[in-house]
Amino acid sequence: MEQSPERRKERERPGLDPEGLLGTVNLMEHCCESSAANPLRSAKSAPCAHSLILKSSEDGESIGANPFSQRLAMILMFKGCTFTLNTVDMKRAPDVLKALAPGTQPPFLIYNNEVKTDVNKIEEFLEENLTPTRYPSMTPKCKESNTAGNDVFQKFSGYIKNQCPAHEDNLQKSLLRSLLKLDLFLQNPLPIELTCDPKMTVSKRKYLDGDNLTLPDCNLMPKLHIINIVCKHYRNFEIPRDLKGISRYLQNAEELKAFKYTCPNPQEIILFYRDVVKKMP
């Protein structure tokens, strides 16, 4: 893959990547799903001020299984911002990481040679700086959208790390309760939907906050995807299909290019969690 001039300059900076251990992935050729006011801007047609550094997969090149990495990549891609995505092979590149951001782990963002390492602050920075009319706003209008499903991943972690058979049923039920709460939110119409159709009883929206992708979606979609793959493989459990709100939500995620093209390979997710999931005695 031909490297952008900015990418070549990064490699020329002393100490950044002297052995070429950072891989480069060009996602921008795939999509820009924002409005017509935000046409696809490839690395060849515009300067690239943003460089996103992510952990690589087992092969050392592809995107690794990290929901926070995918979250940031989805935001940049959906906004239609030209950016360079670099993957770091954690087995081979400790010196590179020390040079970029001492004491931190990917993902992090390099913007005009300034390294940003906190995921939440990176999200805020992107939303504050990539603004309309050139870039779409991704701030939700409904405040409840910000917290919908915010405990699901925590319940998932407790479930897959459990080693006590006696606790298995209760932990699975705890995860299901969180999923049910999310499902109810997705099925209940938002106020803006009821304004358009006061008789609506079941929501038809694509995402958490309506038919436009927002920041909470970029946080939740990767996590739900991981939950389904990991639980199915290691616990013979998956998100019930009769949770129609979540099923609709995941189907819309699969049709979203910003999600599809930033999604790690399912096998990579399984491999990543092999040391996280605790086997029953």
Side-chain angles (χ1 to χ4, degrees):
M1 178 183 299
E2 182 180 354
Q3 296 175 354
S4 66
E6 290 73 20
R7 178 67 184 137
R8 288 194 294 270
K9 287 178 182 178
E10 287 177 357
R11 288 192 182 278
E12 291 168 2
R13 286 162 51 193
L16 177 60
D17 191 15
E19 298 179 16
L21 300 179
L22 291 178
T24 304
V25 181
N26 184 1
L27 300 177
M28 290 308 298
E29 64 187 26
H30 293 299
C31 79
C32 170
E33 293 188 79
S34 50
S35 67
N38 297 279
L40 175 63
R41 292 178 288 276
S42 69
K44 294 181 179 180
S45 61
C48 180
H50 300 83
S51 183
L52 186 61
I53 311 295
L54 312 178
K55 292 181 182 180
S56 71
S57 59
E58 290 285 322
D59 64 15
E61 296 179 2
S62 307
I63 297 173
N66 184 311
F68 305 105
S69 295
Q70 188 179 3
R71 169 183 172 184
L72 297 179
M74 284 181 67
I75 293 170
L76 284 164
M77 178 169 283
F78 185 79
K79 280 185 173 288
C81 171
T82 300
F83 68 101
T84 301
L85 194 158
N86 301 286
T87 56
V88 178
D89 185 344
M90 299 298 291
K91 298 175 183 177
R92 301 176 58 212
D95 291 338
V96 175
L97 291 181
K98 290 177 183 178
L100 286 173
T104 65
Q105 292 282 317
F108 40 82
L109 180 78
I110 300 175
Y111 178 74
N112 287 343
N113 293 325
E114 180 182 351
V115 180
K116 300 180 182 297
T117 60
D118 183 276
V119 173
N120 290 329
K121 291 182 179 179
I122 292 173
E123 180 183 85
E124 292 174 5
F125 171 81
L126 294 174
E127 184 65 5
E128 290 172 359
N129 288 273
L130 303 177
T131 58
T133 58
R134 185 174 184 185
Y135 303 101
S137 170
M138 297 184 71
T139 300
K141 298 177 181 178
C142 176
K143 65 178 182 180
E144 289 79 8
S145 300
N146 284 306
T147 56
N150 62 352
D151 64 341
V152 171
F153 207 65
Q154 179 185 2
K155 299 298 176 65
F156 155 75
S157 296
Y159 175 54
I160 63 168
K161 292 178 182 179
N162 174 49
Q163 289 182 291
C164 179
H167 296 161
E168 180 78 357
D169 188 54
N170 285 336
L171 288 170
Q172 186 182 104
K173 287 180 179 178
S174 179
L175 173 58
L176 282 170
R177 282 193 294 270
S178 293
L179 290 169
L180 178 60
K181 183 180 177 181
L182 172 61
D183 187 72
L184 289 173
F185 176 78
L186 289 168
Q187 292 215 59
N188 289 333
L190 295 174
I192 191 171
E193 292 180 284
L194 293 174
T195 299
C196 299
D197 184 0
K199 295 182 179 180
M200 180 182 288
T201 58
V202 179
S203 176
K204 299 179 181 178
R205 68 188 187 274
K206 291 183 178 181
Y207 309 120
L208 290 173
D209 200 60
D211 289 335
N212 293 319
L213 192 75
T214 57
L215 297 174
D217 292 302
C218 297
N219 183 33
L220 183 61
M221 284 180 180
K223 292 179 178 178
L224 290 178
H225 182 64
I226 287 173
I227 289 172
N228 244 353
I229 290 175
V230 174
C231 286
K232 185 175 182 179
H233 183 83
Y234 290 106
R235 289 289 191 263
N236 195 29
F237 167 83
E238 58 184 322
I239 298 174
R241 296 182 182 275
D242 58 358
L243 296 182
K244 298 186 184 299
I246 295 180
S247 294
R248 182 186 72 244
Y249 184 71
L250 291 175
Q251 179 62 41
N252 287 319
E254 291 175 2
E255 297 172 0
L256 181 71
K257 290 180 181 178
F259 175 79
K260 288 193 300 184
Y261 291 118
T262 59
C263 204
N265 187 291
Q267 190 61 32
E268 171 63 24
I269 295 174
I270 291 171
L271 289 173
F272 178 83
Y273 274 88
R274 69 189 169 201
D275 297 326
V276 177
V277 177
K278 304 301 181 182
K279 295 183 179 179
M280 291 295 177

